[in-house]
Amino acid sequence: MDQFLIKGSSRIAGEVTISGAKNAALPLLAAMILAKTPSTLHNVPLLQDVRTLIKLIAGMGIVIKKDQSTVICDTKTIDNFYAPYDLVKTMRASILVLGPLLARFGEAEVSLPGGCAIGSRPVDQHLKAFEAMGAIIKVENGYVKAQAPKGGRLIGCDYSFDMVTVGGTENVIMAAALAKGTTRLENCAREPEVVDLANMLVAMGAKISGIGTANMTIEGVDELYGCEYSVVADRIETGSYLAGALMTQGDVLTKSTSPLLLRPVLKKFEAMGATISSGDDWIRAQINKRPQPVDIRTQPHPGFPTDMQAQLMAICCLADGTSTIIENIFENRFMHVPELKRLGANIKVDGHTAIVKGVEKFTAAPVMATDLRASMSLVMAAAAAEGESLIDRIYHIDRGYEDVENKLRALGVHIERINPKK
Ligand code: EPZ
């Protein structure tokens, strides 16, 4: 398994270009299944999760090709509606093909995604909504077997999600776009990636109002057509690199991104003492002293994003005071805590609350990445630490951060990827 060797005491400073968002690219790729004619998607990040979803879609007989950061998809040769466990188990967002297959072809057999390190991550909300649209859903041998009602088409309905779910909202608006009649949704997720998907569906001919709000109305149409679209910038990648500046009294400029995508994060960075400047497509974070402590609780957008919790915690570990972090979205998203403590952090966890007492500095140690966003918090902490750290299981980071070593090197991080087995 690859590891990162990181020489510490770096000041994280420089410029980095942000890639397309993983969490937008995945639903957008799934949405291409809905189109009768070819679609082209630009600014697709080159990530393990993207490769997995492309492989899964290709397995349905669909022609889908990635050339650099552009993906072209032509669905006319589709010959099955099946998403196998061996692929879905490695990338749980594969469940997002369920809505498009069910809506366009009236049937789908998709493996239930397992849980993952951060939680059990059920998909009950997705399935309940499809049943409300008339689908017959059976869960057998670890697979969701879904059939549209007789006549082959989902039926628009009024539906309110029991809790805010990004994937649930995405799966259902894709299905509703081709349903017969109107679907009125309440308690929708409002993440920028959900907005990006809705905007692409509109470009394909869907009729959606209330985009970006908790209540969306989708008027089903008979057909959707291919379009040319570009993936929104990755707000979590942006926040992750800016966080490196706050940990090392640095100065990071992120380009090809937008301050509108991560306002709750930038507000916290300013509260910690960073100077944040920005333009339409760039954000800069500078700080020349120890960060101040903050209190955060993760919430659905426009609250503080759970995907930035580990990175913010790493900054709090070096703050001049005590911070409180409450994780409200996932049941097990503090696995980076014991690893940060190996680097010298002072953190006490009580259920969903972490109390972080700032220390002067991290000291190097061998640590282990446990999930995607925790990996980046450990990389930044190791870059700030005194001495040389080894980070194990960095395959997690390859799932969600494109070209990560070169981007970190451009920010002054001394990083080397090694594989002890080779
Ligand atoms: C998306 O996951 C993101 N992944 C996650 O990013 C992100 O953390 C999450 O949204 C929250 O913002 C992608 O977009 C590919 P949810 P998703 O459905 O859709 C519970 C990363 O690091 N729930 O909003 O799976 C669920 O267990 C990843 O990039 C149900 O109970 O998240 C969780 O506690 C990690 N039943 C909460 O809701 C359901 O049917 C939010 O989940 C669906 C969800």
Side-chain angles (χ1 to χ4, degrees):
M1 248 180 244
D2 286 3
Q3 298 171 321
F4 275 156
L5 191 60
I6 295 180
K7 232 200 265 347
S9 308
S10 306
R11 176 171 178 268
I12 296 181
E15 292 187 11
V16 70
T17 299
I18 298 301
S19 304
K22 166 181 84 80
N23 292 350
L26 296 174
L28 294 175
L29 287 167
M32 291 171 122
I33 296 170
L34 291 163
K36 259 181 97 68
T37 51
S39 307
T40 301
L41 193 54
H42 298 294
N43 201 30
V44 180
L46 187 59
L47 298 169
Q48 187 51 44
D49 278 8
V50 167
R51 279 193 285 271
T52 304
L53 186 55
I54 288 175
K55 194 168 163 199
L56 188 137
I57 293 172
M60 296 173 191
I62 290 175
V63 174
I64 180 164
K65 295 259 173 296
K66 186 169 191 319
D67 171 18
Q68 304 288 341
S69 63
T70 295
V71 172
I72 297 175
C73 175
D74 186 346
T75 62
K76 65 171 171 302
T77 53
I78 189 168
D79 58 22
N80 73 81
F81 313 119
Y82 178 67
Y85 174 63
D86 64 324
L87 285 176
V88 176
K89 73 180 177 194
T90 65
M91 213 281 293
R92 50 182 321 286
S94 310
I95 193 72
L96 291 173
V97 303
L98 181 55
L101 289 172
L102 190 51
R104 185 165 172 218
F105 303 103
E107 62 175 290
E109 186 172 340
V110 177
S111 166
L112 266 179
C116 75
I118 63 175
S120 59
R121 303 185 71 183
V123 290
D124 56 297
Q125 297 295 309
H126 304 229
L127 305 184
K128 263 178 78 176
F130 293 140
E131 286 176 328
M133 297 172 83
I136 299 116
I137 304 277
K138 284 205 231 56
V139 179
E140 286 165 0
N141 314 104
Y143 278 78
V144 177
K145 296 176 181 168
Q147 289 282 338
K150 52 185 180 313
R153 244 181 119 181
L154 295 174
I155 301 144
C157 68
D158 293 356
Y159 185 78
S160 180
F161 289 99
D162 297 340
M163 93 271 292
V164 175
T165 157
V166 170
T169 303
E170 291 168 342
N171 233 337
V172 174
I173 62 173
M174 288 192 281
L178 280 181
K180 190 170 169 38
T182 300
T183 300
R184 289 176 198 80
L185 298 175
E186 287 183 338
N187 203 20
C188 297
R190 299 162 55 190
E191 273 66 5
E193 295 75 28
V194 177
V195 170
D196 209 33
L197 171 64
N199 288 336
M200 182 169 129
L201 290 171
V202 167
M204 292 165 72
K207 294 199 174 97
I208 306 177
S209 59
I211 296 175
T213 75
N215 304 316
M216 278 192 271
T217 299
I218 303 106
E219 213 183 300
V221 294
D222 294 340
E223 283 167 347
L224 291 171
Y225 297 90
C227 69
E228 188 150 7
Y229 196 76
S230 189
V231 181
V232 71
D234 194 321
R235 62 192 167 110
I236 304 302
E237 184 192 19
T238 305
S240 301
Y241 288 120
L242 294 173
L246 275 87
M247 294 172 64
T248 59
Q249 298 183 27
D251 178 353
V252 168
L253 171 66
T254 54
K255 299 186 291 187
S256 303
T257 185
S258 162
L260 304 178
L261 298 170
L262 63 165
R263 275 193 290 225
V265 175
L266 300 178
K267 268 200 333 240
K268 285 296 175 189
F269 285 174
E270 285 178 323
M272 299 181 96
T275 302
I276 301 289
S277 49
S278 64
D280 289 348
D281 63 355
W282 61 271
I283 306 167
R284 184 175 179 183
Q286 301 160 269
I287 186 167
N288 53 19
K289 55 190 183 310
R290 266 180 90 180
Q292 289 304 304
V294 280
D295 296 338
I296 64 141
R297 55 182 62 236
T298 62
Q299 296 289 353
H301 192 77
F304 189 89
T306 175
D307 290 351
M308 276 297 300
Q309 180 255 103
Q311 300 88 312
L312 190 101
M313 185 183 285
I315 308 171
C316 293
C317 289
L318 298 174
D320 184 10
T322 300
S323 306
T324 304
I325 295 176
I326 301 176
E327 171 56 56
N328 288 315
I329 307 293
F330 289 108
E331 61 264 37
N332 185 33
R333 203 168 197 175
F334 281 150
M335 285 168 302
H336 39 284
V337 168
E339 301 306 315
L340 289 168
K341 288 169 80 167
R342 290 178 52 77
L343 294 167
N346 179 341
I347 308 170
K348 283 193 177 40
V349 170
D350 175 10
H352 285 255
T353 302
I355 308 289
V356 185
K357 218 166 147 6
V359 295
E360 289 275 340
K361 61 181 176 14
F362 284 122
T363 42
V367 290
M368 185 177 76
T370 51
D371 62 270
L372 168 57
R373 304 305 173 182
S375 323
M376 189 52 107
S377 76
L378 292 176
V379 165
M380 292 303 184
E386 232 168 45
E388 197 169 72
S389 300
L390 195 62
I391 303 183
D392 202 356
R393 302 192 180 180
I394 51 133
Y395 60 85
H396 289 292
I397 212 163
D398 292 332
R399 290 189 43 216
Y401 288 92
E402 183 179 49
D403 197 20
V404 65
E405 286 114 293
N406 288 329
K407 292 191 182 187
L408 287 166
R409 285 191 191 109
L411 296 178
V413 177
H414 301 281
I415 182 168
E416 195 194 334
R417 184 185 290 255
I418 57 175
N419 185 321
K421 296 247 173 349
K422 273 184 194 145

